[in-house]
Amino acid sequence: MAKKSIRVRAKFKGGVTTVRALMSHPMESGNRKNKAGKKIPAHFIQEVTCDVAGKNVITSLWGGGVAKSAYLSFKFNGGKGEKLKLTWVDNQGKSDSMETAIKG
């Protein structure tokens, strides 16, 4: 079984859901060089989306300036008892997603 690249927690409190996510990814900007002096190709997450009950609550566009093991936190109104799906897509066309229930 492949290791998931996303860890996400979602908690409902006072009418607001707080989402905290950690995404493991190389996040290479394309500016670094390897030991042989050649540039390491860019490889980073371009888009992160979050859907709750099939409705998009956030779309975030990223570039090569985001750190490795990227952390994302955001809040939205509602969401009690719903399922949340967080997805990322990188500049090489790879993607991963994670679903979790909103606790609270």
Side-chain angles (χ1 to χ4, degrees):
M1 181 179 217
K3 186 178 175 185
K4 291 297 265 181
S5 68
I6 303 172
R7 291 175 45 197
V8 62
R9 284 188 187 175
K11 189 172 182 180
F12 180 83
K13 185 177 180 184
V16 176
T17 299
T18 302
V19 179
R20 295 184 176 118
L22 186 64
M23 291 164 262
S24 298
H25 193 278
M27 298 302 283
E28 283 293 341
S29 66
N31 295 326
R32 290 185 336 126
K33 293 181 180 177
N34 62 16
K35 290 180 181 177
K38 292 188 174 187
K39 281 196 170 186
I40 299 171
H43 188 200
F44 55 86
I45 294 173
Q46 280 187 314
E47 182 178 288
V48 179
T49 58
C50 180
D51 298 328
V52 176
K55 235 175 129 176
N56 182 268
V57 293
I58 187 171
T59 298
S60 180
L61 303 177
W62 292 0
V66 177
K68 189 175 184 177
S69 297
Y71 176 75
L72 175 68
S73 179
F74 59 94
K75 297 179 180 186
F76 63 92
N77 292 326
K80 184 177 184 179
E82 300 285 347
K83 277 206 165 203
L84 175 147
K85 182 178 180 182
L86 191 79
T87 305
W88 60 254
V89 179
D90 69 17
N91 66 323
Q92 295 182 356
K94 295 176 185 165
S95 66
D96 196 6
S97 64
M98 176 77 170
E99 282 190 26
T100 190
I102 297 172
K103 296 179 181 178

